[in-house]
Amino acid sequence: MSFPDIEYQMKMIMRGVEEIIHEEEMRVRLRKSLDTGVPLRIKLGVDPTASDIHLGHMVTIRKLKHFQELGHTSIFLIGDFTARIGDPTERSDARMRLTKEQVWEHAATFKSQVFRILDEEKTELRNNGEWFDNMTFADCLDLAYRSTVARMLERNDFEKRYKEGNPISITEFLYPLMQGYDSVALKCDVELGGTDQKFNLLAGRDLQIQHGRPPQIVMMTPLIEGLDGSKKMSKTEGNYIAVDDAPEDMFGKTMSIKDDLIVKYFNLLTDVDDDEIRRCGQALNEIEKHQDPDDPYHPMQIKKVLARSIVKEYKGSDAAAMAEAHFERVVQRRETPKDVPLVYVNLPRMLAYEVVSQCASTSKAEARRLIVQGAVRIDGIRVSDPMTEVDFGVDEKGLQVGKRKFYRLTLKTE
RNA sequence: GGAGAGGUUCCCGAGUGGCCAAAGGGAGCAGACUGUAAAUCUGCCGGCGCAGCCUUCGGAGGUUCGAAUCCUCCCCUCUCCA
């Protein structure tokens, strides 16, 4: 196996990396693999605690991909076992325990999402149940012996929870050790993670040394802010763009990020080259010079480029183009989208709120509110009385609820 | 094992016998505005056959005309002592 020269590799690897421990070790490792022709082993572990992979995960997954493209061995580790304990990172209270079944369900959907980006052929897909499932209690004690309570309490998450009188389960103390042991078991040269993972990542180095192996290099990527613009993108916050989102949603959600985040998103989620990103950043700092909406450096145009490249990466160019057209049509021009789902109704005449409740699957109270608030249009005409009667004749009726939900209604005929 | 504190609607958190479907904040939704699904402002924010009724304040019983609020038992969490 041959690899590109070290400086080229470093450039690829280091893009968007916030911290590396240690850069010099990385060079030494790369040198060695270049000399011996043996690829490095790069690990990224993800616990299947939820079924959606979102762009926050993709920052590290894309990094894994970069290594893969350079010819190294990318290991995607599914934490099927650790998911049942829960990573205490950034938690303010103990996690709910998941059952084995839930975990496997999530894991299955993970794979399909991850391999949109990673080359399945070249990826070493592992799960940590491989070694943890068969550990004896004695093995477990041996692992626990490797650290101390004081070390654990050094961690901010724990210290804070402890001080605030929130519960910390003993198993959560075990978590960093388990993640670290993954690195021992997989003989990792490098482990990737977000900056919030520092403690867990470093645990891997300690354990590797204790097992007489060279410590892994730890590479941390920045956390990416979600749609609310301040909190980190996460399932819990609901501020995320999911890999499985429909192309239009993915595009629209990207368009809704704060302007300040554009450059960061470019850096971490696209392969757009550095110079171009710099030009965009420059333009965003001088908005007054780019007031013409057709100017390619108008903030909205820049954001469209971003949205397009993100959607393209996961859904392909055609879908990206369609998503963009959809955005222009529905959001910018406030027109009805092209593909409106057809919904069958059972009765020839219904009250407006019943129609809304049925189609948009809201409660009836919610439907009434929406109507009163002016969110509902039937055939383009705003309906403001929930008790308005709607007749379903031969023709379809168009229903709009809020800005983004559209339905075509037609009477079900046997 | 002993002593104390606490578990409230999606989340945080107020409420200690009727005025409580339960303050306030966050999230969410809607309207206006906008390059934008941003920001801001305004409104909504348990359900239903909706001026009324039903379900909710860890769980199960009980007291009372009436309970998130009082009593009993149970479950869970935290703190201190051992």
Side-chain angles (χ1 to χ4, degrees):
Chain A
M1 187 100 203
S2 66
F3 301 95
D5 76 82
I6 291 181
E7 285 319 306
Y8 177 80
Q9 290 198 55
M10 281 304 281
K11 190 178 173 240
M12 288 275 291
I13 288 169
M14 290 302 288
R15 167 160 164 169
V17 168
E18 178 147 322
E19 192 180 354
I20 177 168
I21 300 172
H22 297 279
E23 189 169 341
E24 274 322 298
E25 285 180 24
M26 187 78 229
R27 282 174 199 279
V28 171
R29 237 18 107 102
L30 285 174
R31 160 64 53 200
K32 197 176 160 201
S33 93
L34 192 61
D35 291 346
T36 58
V38 178
L40 297 181
R41 297 174 60 74
I42 324 300
K43 172 183 94 174
L44 172 64
V46 183
D47 284 354
T49 45
S51 51
D52 280 337
I53 293 251
H54 54 67
L55 296 190
H57 298 112
M58 288 320 295
V59 176
T60 42
I61 294 175
R62 296 184 88 257
K63 188 50 65 191
L64 194 61
K65 180 190 171 204
H66 293 154
F67 276 102
Q68 186 167 66
E69 285 167 351
L70 290 169
H72 297 290
T73 305
S74 287
I75 308 170
F76 188 75
L77 175 68
I78 294 183
D80 65 321
F81 196 93
T82 34
R84 278 143 52 198
I85 289 183
D87 181 359
T89 301
E90 303 263 297
R91 299 295 298 185
S92 53
D93 46 358
R95 263 186 207 268
M96 286 275 293
R97 291 194 62 185
L98 297 169
T99 64
K100 210 168 179 175
E101 288 69 34
Q102 288 172 311
V103 167
W104 277 106
E105 241 169 71
H106 294 154
T109 66
F110 264 37
K111 288 179 209 162
S112 65
Q113 297 174 57
V114 165
F115 288 129
R116 287 173 199 230
I117 299 303
L118 295 176
D119 182 340
E120 192 162 359
E121 296 285 299
K122 294 184 189 159
T123 304
E124 191 173 317
L125 181 68
R126 306 292 292 268
N127 47 272
N128 57 16
E130 289 173 35
W131 40 94
F132 288 129
D133 276 336
N134 297 318
M135 270 198 176
T136 63
F137 194 65
D139 296 329
C140 172
L141 291 180
D142 180 68
L143 195 55
Y145 184 72
R146 312 270 177 180
S147 192
T148 64
V149 171
R151 280 296 298 282
M152 290 298 164
L153 283 175
E154 282 171 13
R155 259 186 92 144
N156 272 342
D157 312 303
F158 285 144
E159 199 197 341
K160 201 164 158 239
R161 274 161 70 179
Y162 192 66
K163 278 189 179 150
E164 286 172 358
N166 286 321
I168 302 171
S169 149
I170 302 272
T171 54
E172 292 183 88
F173 273 180
L174 253 18
Y175 190 93
L177 294 169
M178 294 174 75
Q179 182 168 337
Y181 188 79
D182 289 340
S183 294
V184 174
L186 290 167
K187 302 182 165 58
C188 296
D189 293 294
V190 180
E191 179 164 9
L192 305 176
T195 47
D196 60 340
Q197 285 284 315
K198 194 171 185 171
F199 189 95
N200 294 348
L201 296 169
L202 290 173
R205 281 176 69 89
D206 280 349
L207 284 180
Q208 283 172 315
I209 292 169
Q210 295 192 43
H211 281 82
R213 294 196 45 84
Q216 64 185 5
I217 290 138
V218 163
M219 293 182 78
M220 287 161 281
T221 50
L223 300 177
I224 196 159
E225 287 84 354
L227 301 177
D228 56 301
S230 54
K231 294 199 190 105
K232 101 173 184 195
M233 188 179 284
S234 75
K235 176 92 178 172
T236 339
E237 290 296 334
N239 60 353
Y240 64 100
I241 304 176
V243 170
D244 270 353
D245 274 341
E248 305 85 63
D249 286 339
M250 205 174 209
F251 194 96
K253 284 181 179 178
T254 307
M255 290 305 287
S256 83
I257 62 165
K258 283 213 298 201
D259 290 358
D260 311 359
L261 289 174
I262 294 176
V263 168
K264 190 166 182 181
Y265 271 51
F266 264 120
N267 261 317
L268 298 175
L269 294 168
T270 73
D271 289 324
V272 172
D273 75 62
D274 295 344
D275 294 336
E276 181 58 22
I277 296 177
R278 215 167 295 127
R279 278 193 288 276
C280 291
Q282 181 71 21
L284 288 167
N285 286 330
E286 300 170 338
I287 292 184
E288 63 288 349
K289 288 190 191 163
H290 304 280
Q291 287 298 318
D292 176 4
D294 291 327
D295 182 332
Y297 288 100
H298 183 282
M300 194 185 58
Q301 296 298 343
I302 295 178
K303 222 190 260 185
K304 278 188 180 174
V305 172
L306 175 67
R308 211 181 296 143
S309 37
I310 289 177
V311 177
K312 188 176 156 190
E313 182 161 357
Y314 305 99
K315 315 283 180 184
S317 340
D318 290 352
M322 262 149 63
E324 183 165 2
H326 177 271
F327 181 83
E328 288 172 353
R329 190 183 171 105
V330 179
V331 180
Q332 297 191 286
R333 295 200 301 271
R334 301 258 168 116
E335 291 168 11
T336 312
K338 267 203 167 131
D339 299 312
V340 179
L342 186 63
V343 177
Y344 289 100
V345 293
N346 302 315
L347 301 167
R349 50 174 31 204
M350 287 164 90
L351 297 179
Y353 78 91
E354 293 173 327
V355 176
V356 171
S357 148
Q358 246 183 54
C359 299
S361 57
T362 61
S363 70
K364 288 176 184 162
E366 178 85 43
R368 279 167 189 277
R369 270 179 239 127
L370 287 166
I371 292 173
V372 171
Q373 289 179 140
V376 173
R377 287 165 190 270
I378 292 175
D379 282 340
I381 297 158
R382 180 168 283 173
V383 177
S384 50
D385 180 3
M387 303 305 278
T388 308
E389 288 204 0
V390 185
D391 282 300
F392 296 100
V394 216
D395 297 331
E396 281 177 15
K397 289 211 178 293
L399 171 70
Q400 178 179 3
V401 181
K403 288 197 181 76
R404 291 187 272 144
K405 285 182 234 142
F406 297 89
Y407 310 89
R408 278 153 54 213
L409 309 178
T410 189
L411 185 60
K412 188 170 197 169
T413 45
E414 301 302 316

